[in-house]
Amino acid sequence: MRKIFLFLALILCMNAQGQTPKKLNSAEINQALKKLNFLGSVLYVAAHPDDENTRLISYLSNEVNARTGYLSITRGDGGQNLIGPELKELLGVIRTQELLAARRIDGGVQRFTRAIDFGYTKTPEETMKIWDKEVVLGDVVWAIRSFQPDIIINRFNHRTAGDTHGQHTASAVLSSEAFNLAGNKDAYPEQLKYTNTFSPTRLYFNTSPWFYESQEQFDNANKSNFIQFDTGVYFPWSGLSNPEIAALSRSQHRSQGFGSSGSRGSQIEYIELIDGKVPDAKGNLFAGIDTSWNRLKGGAAIGKILEQVEKDFNFRDPSASIPKLVEAYKLISQLEEGYWKTIKLAEIKDIILAASGLYLEAVVNTSSAAPSQEVRVDLEAINRSKTEVILSSISLTPGSSSLQPNLTLKLNEDWSDKLSYTIPSDAPYTSAYWLSEDAKLGTYTVRDQKLIGLPETPRATKAIFNLRIFGETISFEKVLQYKSTDPVKGEMYQPFEIVPAVSASFNDKVLIYTNGAAKNIQLTITAEQSNVEGEVSLATSDKWKITPVSTKFSIKEIGGTAIVSFNITPPKEQSEATLTPQIKVNGKVYSDEVFRIAYEHIPLQTLVLPARTKLLKLEIEKKGEQIGFIEGAGDVIPESLEQIGYKVTKIDPNTITASSLARFDAVVLGIRAYNVLEILKFKQPELLKYVENGGTLISQYNTNRGLVIDNLAPFQLELSRDRVTEEDAKVEILDSTISVLNTPNKITQKDFENWVQERGLYFPDKWAPEFTPIFAMHDENEAASKGSLLIANYGKGHYIYTGLSFFRQFPDAVPGAYRLFANLISIGK
């Protein structure tokens, strides 16, 4: 059983990293006691961030008091980003943190698998093929064995393939299969080195009228296997109703624009029994499952003590409970190793800390450091209760720095001291563990079984405070953090990061050549140590010429930078290559970039990833020069068009007039512009007048829900949910003689090779005869859609609407996407 104890200890260290320390009030301590006395768990399973039912998670966690987890099969890497430019794996990092922020509000626990959200799919079969079903199914089995849920609840229906996103249905299929496999020792036996088999009691489906064709059909459905309960309860300890907490939780999904307003009053939820033991008592989720301390050998005595603690709890003086809490802690420590022992030890330690008013902190004098670097750690401890607490020792780990104060923390007298700490030379860099190796098509590469499913990389550097309370030694771990004071926001915490001694960043992530002329690229080198000297060169394919071969640099101060330049000449023929730096310092070679993702609603995220630039020699012609760009929900169209020689001006939508646009050869609307820019409701006549006067307007995809205007185009144009998710789906050219496919570039089937993630999305399905469709395309076993690219003459100009996903192709330097977009800009010229 020790193997599961060690693994769970790893999970439990995954608390809010880089957050202001949580200080529980009396009501919250009392609520924590209720959870301490409930030994039951639920795992909610769905496909993506935002799929979870936060009402149900909050209800189960805060009303039922169950340990409630959300297993999101993916990290949401394939979606769109409404708050910034990050896409793909960087978006997955943001959405991971948004889920953790949501769980801090609703009380749940977050889990994942290695599956990548690669975009919309229409069937679970397509999803399983890309994900590699056996790998992801194993991860779901691992999640069940690790979390040990008595109850599993699926968000989606495993019996209705094709009715929703293929990844949605796949999540339910995987959960249903894993429900029966997790208890089988012959299934994924390699996991049993670290955990044990486990068989959940019941599997439910979180059904609702949404899954039926009508409310009437749902009302008439056989509900003999249903449990319903009202999740609209009010929590006096928080001053909020459960739906209000759920709305606050859901509103953390800011990158998806899921801000929600809270509601009050009755909210009925339904769950349908899918598999497992039928409940003994109808309507009781945990019927027949012992959720008391009696479920553990030796637990009865603990339960008796803690029931009395809960009954006698003094809201004016929570520390009055500490003697009994320490007595219970000692008994829990003596239990056999196992899941609930690990969970409840962590819970009761948090309660003891909060009830005593103890505040423990370890902050570093710098926000980041490199391996082998020495930093100062400021330590603080204060006891704000009458309970006698002896601070025995403090140690920093990994390493040997320590203090042995052996003193009594007097009531409300602050203790502080400092320690010098040398970061171990082999300390791993701070980064997302699932991004440390190149991913496969549909799954991230994670070789350490103990890491699989964790929301974050466990922080290695921490301080361990050893305290003696009522004769019992209790250790408390505090992750090292950096603290500063902002003149506006006040006290601010952020994670303490371990980064390379030297990092590098290219000023261009994609370098596109349209002729044989050399281009200059700059590399910014940043030092985490003082007095750094070295030599840098660039590595790529032999077809590309780089000068100089190498160059030296010197940086005097920590945090200082040096900028070095290289000229890169492409080969004559069309070619693609990857460019990487090689920075030599003291015999060691560095080639990583440090990424920082900063948004107010999540902790600062630091990633150490390979520094790379994609090189592309592109055979392309273009007409026109000046492009106006109206920013939508975030894409890299301006930077991409500048790469192929256009001059791009970002337009403030408030200043739009037909006359101000007249100087542009084309005006491009960013993705979802008609969803996110309210001002376009008033500026649409000016945009259309620009077209009528001879301009070219290119409108990229929008969703049909939440449009700010009814008439997107000068003629009838109705958006649908149609999309082509297979990035290699065959593209039929409807009329090969049409000028947009021939001038200035001849567009052929070859231009649709190597597209990424999808062909396009949210195609129109109805349009006026003035529009000319250019392509037909479809996913396997579906009818062809002709709405991916529509062009209409309007007055002297051209109105173009496209659902083709140029915003995904440009960052990956897909040649055909650039050639086709150049033709759209060049139309009529």
Side-chain angles (χ1 to χ4, degrees), residues 391-412:
L391 176 59
S392 302
S393 64
I394 305 170
S395 59
L396 303 181
T397 183
S400 57
S401 296
S402 63
L403 284 173
Q404 288 78 35
N406 284 319
L407 56 82
T408 299
L409 295 175
K410 297 180 181 179
L411 173 63
N412 214 30

Side-chain angles (χ1 to χ4, degrees), residues 16 58 68 124 137 166 237 265 267 304 355 420 423 491 495 515 521 558 620 623 636 674 684 693 771:
S58 176
T68 307
L137 177 60
W237 57 269
Q267 295 275 342
K304 186 175 180 180
S420 292
I423 309 299
E491 189 175 64
N515 54 47
I521 192 168
I558 294 176
I620 189 172
K623 295 183 179 181
V636 293
Y674 286 108
Q684 182 75 342
N693 292 340
F771 281 105

Side-chain angles (χ1 to χ4, degrees), residues 472-485:
E472 190 71 17
T473 297
I474 307 177
S475 297
F476 297 91
E477 291 187 357
K478 292 293 176 180
V479 172
L480 299 187
Q481 297 191 98
Y482 174 67
K483 182 171 70 172
S484 60
T485 303

Side-chain angles (χ1 to χ4, degrees), residues 331-350:
L331 291 177
I332 296 172
S333 302
Q334 294 169 358
L335 293 174
E336 293 180 359
E337 301 296 346
Y339 175 81
W340 283 114
K341 174 183 177 179
T342 305
I343 297 298
K344 294 305 175 181
L345 270 178
E347 288 182 5
I348 198 168
K349 284 169 65 173
D350 287 344

Side-chain angles (χ1 to χ4, degrees), residues 141 145 181-182 184-192:
V141 168
R145 289 171 172 172
L181 287 175
N184 182 351
K185 63 180 177 59
D186 295 325
Y188 302 98
E190 69 281 359
Q191 297 178 4
L192 301 180

